């Protein structure tokens, strides 16, 4: 029985290792699956830390994603369904998408955009965003999508980093029934971005907006005079496809550059392995196109495969927490890809919203962005996947350009373990190492590194090769340093434990944030948790827990005791927290990740630092105020020693 159970893992690992040892011929074979104008001469030219993939090959991303399907049965199938929170819909067949992409490519050409120029997109989740990306790629220009939730300052900083001449934006975005004045924010940014000469404005609404004579043009007006066909620019495989800024969870975002050939080959291959995607898939990724997940999962990978994409403009719980499940039912979504933070939100709302919908079309569920806590995994598996759909917990980064560690049901489904991203994909030489780069014995925590180049890897940080070397290639010799903390178990499964710089050191033990948080979430009443360290003269650090309760629960000392009990049982007495605070919000990035460094700054009473990527400033204010009250209370009762006692007055819930 035991042997039978682990057989798929062994077979998968063998295949995985073979791909690593014979990596160039392995990737060369994968590259044959996407359309090239000219075949490459050399699979890889590696001058650490810069890789050139498929050197000598030429292609075009928009041709590979759209034109190819016009020569097949897919030409009249739907490439893109779009829907907004009010239920307005649009759809584009591959033929229609081709027409729009070509016409906008012609517009860009008429505006003077040339091969190698950078075009910045600051747009809500509307089809024109996808069209603009593909049109930019069609003429060999480079796109930089900036998430439309960013402020004018964040937008200006990123535009100035790229030196772009053209900005594409919209009059408004729509969020929770309210209009977000994107053009106004963009105008503000444009006061300090001297390089931008032209602004193309998409009319998302009928509201009035100010236009600047000579600079601003309307998308639909420009499209009137456009050509229906623009010859796709033949670009080198190494030609940059896009620059994308990281989410900024840990600090100042980095402008990550991705080349055309390597990125497309890697995404074609990995979406086939991980999602078992095909041209019959109805693929819905809920991420914003402004993040790497959106680039790969809403645009490039599904279109390369000729699948149908769902693009939804809206938040998960508006107009009500049933909206997403209704979309899955109505479009017959087969692959659903979201983040742990969204799943945790739905756990808070309870199951009644889900039960109203038929989710039987789903085949595979995905998770990305943070570690998915085992309890959250189990809930997702049961209530969304009907205990029928494998969950692919996909670990990757903006820098890796594609999924690196994940189950791969498209090859072979290995036994899943809730909370583990399972095994590295074929050709990915991932390892967990110690301080001097030595591989850790199974079960021992360390740093996640990648020891061999892979086609999706970044070409570096835009205009800053030194920072690229410093951040990723100086920590361990000859290895790409991910900055994440992990453990590899005795079956080779990877467990991501959080950011390496957020690891807690308690009495000589290193504890990853994810393992403590998962234990807190394992209590039946906690929906979300974040932990940080507070310095302690004896132990090094003490654990501070911030927790959000599920609906219907009130903060009490009893619940704190239960959390302490669970932590002691699941991790050990070492994980006994010094403080537990119940809050209603946690500081998150605009991509939905918990910003522990903000919490850490609050508990350590130091400056909070760069918060431009923060989703909701109110969360910081709330926690700060609650924490201040807690400290005052401590001052009033200096003799109080017991952990977790009488803290509920500091709570904000
Ligand atoms: P910055 O690098 O600017 O601080 P960021 O790291 O949040 O921002 P991204 O590239 O969007 O920017 O996110 C990649 C990171 O997200 C990974 O390094 C990891 O910490 C986390 N992550 C992504 N997927 C997973 C996953 N499946 N399990 C655990 N962590 C994940
Ligand atoms: Mg990062």
């Amino acid at each position: 029985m035991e042997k039978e159970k682990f057989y798929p893992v062994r077979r998968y690992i063998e295949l995985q290792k073979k791909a690593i040892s014979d990596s160039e011929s392995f990737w060369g074979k994968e590259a044959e699956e996407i359309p090239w104008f000219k075949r490459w001469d050399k699979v890889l030219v590696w001058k650490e830390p810069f890789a050139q993939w498929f050197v000598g090959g030429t292609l075009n991303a928009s041709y590979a994603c759209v034109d190819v399907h016009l020569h097949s049965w897919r030409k009249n199938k739907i490439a893109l369904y779009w829907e907004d929170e009010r239920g307005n819909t649009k759809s584009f067949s591959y033929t229609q998408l081709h027409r729009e992409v070509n016409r906008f490519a012609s517009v860009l050409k008429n505006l003077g955009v040339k091969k190698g120029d950078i075009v910045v997109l600051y747009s809500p989740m509307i089809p024109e965003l996808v069209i603009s990306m593909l049109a930019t790629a069609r003429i060999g220009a480079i796109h930089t999508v900036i998430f439309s939730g960013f402020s004018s300052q964040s937008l200006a900083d990123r535009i100035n980093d790229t030196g772009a001449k053209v900005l594409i934006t919209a009059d408004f975005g729509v969020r929770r029934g309210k209009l977000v004045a994107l053009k106004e924010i963009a105008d503000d940014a444009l006061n300090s971005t001297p390089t931008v000469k032209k602004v193309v404005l998409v009319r998302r609404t009928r509201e009035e907006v100010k236009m600047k004579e000579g600079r601003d043009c309307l998308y639909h007006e420009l499209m009137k005079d456009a050509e229906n066909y623009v010859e796709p620019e033949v670009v080198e495989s190494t030609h940059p496809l896009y620059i994308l800024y990281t989410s900024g969870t840990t600090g100042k975002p980095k402008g990550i550059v991705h080349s055309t050939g390597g990125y497309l080959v890697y995404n074609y291959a990995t979406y086939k392995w991980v999602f078992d995607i095909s041209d019959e898939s109805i693929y819905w990724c809920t991420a914003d196109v402004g993040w790497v997940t959106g680039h790969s999962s809403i645009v490039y990978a599904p279109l390369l495969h000729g699948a149908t994409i769902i693009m939804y403009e809206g938040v998960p719980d508006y107009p009500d927490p049933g909206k997403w499940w209704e979309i899955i039912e109505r479009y017959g979504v087969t692959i659903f890809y979201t983040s742990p933070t969204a799943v945790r939100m739905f756990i808070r709302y309870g199951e009644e919203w889900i039960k109203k919908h038929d989710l039987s079309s789903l085949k595979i569920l995905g998770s990305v962005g943070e570690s998915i806590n085992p309890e959250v995994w189990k809930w997702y598996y049961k209530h969304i996947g009907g205990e029928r759909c494998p969950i692919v917990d996909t670990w990757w980064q903006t820098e890796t350009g594609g999924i690196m560690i994940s189950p791969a049901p498209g090859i072979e489904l290995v036994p899943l373990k809730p909370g583990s991203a399972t095994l590295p994909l074929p050709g990915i030489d991932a390892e967990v190492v110690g301080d001097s780069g030595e591989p850790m014995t199974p079960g021992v925590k360390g740093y996640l590194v990648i020891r061999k180049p892979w086609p999706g890897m970044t070409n570096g940080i835009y205009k800053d090769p030194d920072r690229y070397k410093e951040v990723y290639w100086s920590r361990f010799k000859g290895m790409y340093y991910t900055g994440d903390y992990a453990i590899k178990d005795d079956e080779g499964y990877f467990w991501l434990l959080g950011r390496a710089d957020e690891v807690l050191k308690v009495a000589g033990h290193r504890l990853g944030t994810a393992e403590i948080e998962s234990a807190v979430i394992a209590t039946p009443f906690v929906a979300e948790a974040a932990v940080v360290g507070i310095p302690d003269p004896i132990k090094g650090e003490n654990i501070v827990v911030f927790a959000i309760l599920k609906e219907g629960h009130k903060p009490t000392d009893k619940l704190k005791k239960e959390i302490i009990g669970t932590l002691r049982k699941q991790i050990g007495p070492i994980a006994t927290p010094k403080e537990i605070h119940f809050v209603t919000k946690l500081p998150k990035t605009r991509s939905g990740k918990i910003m522990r460094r903000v919490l850490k700054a609050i508990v350590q009473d130091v400056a909070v630092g760069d918060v431009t990527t923060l989703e909701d400033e109110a969360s910081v204010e709330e926690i700060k105020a609650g924490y201040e009250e807690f400290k005052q209370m401590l001052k009033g009762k200096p003799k109080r020693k017991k952990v977790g006692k009488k803290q509920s007055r500091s709570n904000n819930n």
Side-chain angles (χ1 to χ4, degrees), residues 568-582:
R568 291 176 69 95
K569 196 165 139 231
Q570 286 210 1
I571 302 176
I574 191 79
T576 310
K578 177 151 188 267
E579 298 168 16
I580 298 173
H581 302 278
F582 293 118

Side-chain angles (χ1 to χ4, degrees), residues 244-254 256 291-293 337 340 367-372 392-400 405 419 421 448 467 472 480 482-485 495-500 514 589 591 593 597 613:
L244 180 64
Y245 290 85
T246 55
S247 322
T249 309
T250 50
K252 189 173 174 269
K254 310 155 199 102
I256 299 299
W291 312 119
V292 74
T293 308
Y337 193 23
S367 171
V368 63
E370 287 182 289
S371 296
I372 180 161
V392 291
D393 174 6
T394 60
W395 178 88
W396 54 306
Q397 307 179 302
T398 311
E399 300 86 336
T400 68
I405 306 177
L448 178 64
R467 188 173 174 211
Y472 306 96
Y480 169 83
T482 64
D484 283 344
Y485 202 55
W495 299 76
L496 279 304
L497 302 179
R499 316 251 168 187
T589 58
S591 57
K593 299 173 193 204
R597 67 179 172 83
T613 56

Side-chain angles (χ1 to χ4, degrees), residues 188-290:
D188 225 22
L190 290 163
N191 286 329
S192 53
T193 55
T195 54
V196 178
K197 301 288 178 246
K198 288 280 172 207
V199 175
V200 180
L201 187 83
V202 179
R203 292 294 270 158
R204 168 77 185 83
T205 70
R206 290 167 199 268
E207 305 288 319
E208 281 288 309
V209 280
K210 273 196 216 132
M211 298 291 282
K212 188 169 169 181
E213 196 61 50
R215 185 195 68 185
D216 300 352
C217 336
L218 290 168
Y219 181 97
H220 65 271
E221 290 289 337
L222 295 172
M223 286 290 257
K224 280 187 191 155
D225 308 319
E227 306 274 332
N228 275 340
Y229 183 76
V230 170
E231 198 64 27
E233 185 79 31
V234 175
V235 304
E236 294 287 320
S237 170
T238 51
H239 182 72
L241 176 60
Y242 66 78
I243 301 168
L244 180 64
Y245 290 85
T246 55
S247 322
T249 309
T250 50
K252 189 173 174 269
K254 310 155 199 102
I256 299 299
V257 185
H258 281 291
S259 65
T260 309
Y263 174 82
L264 293 182
V265 168
Y266 193 65
N267 278 283
Y268 185 91
T270 52
Y271 278 67
K272 177 181 68 178
W273 301 334
V274 172
F275 294 106
D276 199 14
I277 198 169
S278 71
D279 54 11
E280 288 174 5
S281 305
I282 311 281
Y283 188 99
W284 185 22
C285 165
T286 67
D288 196 282
V289 172

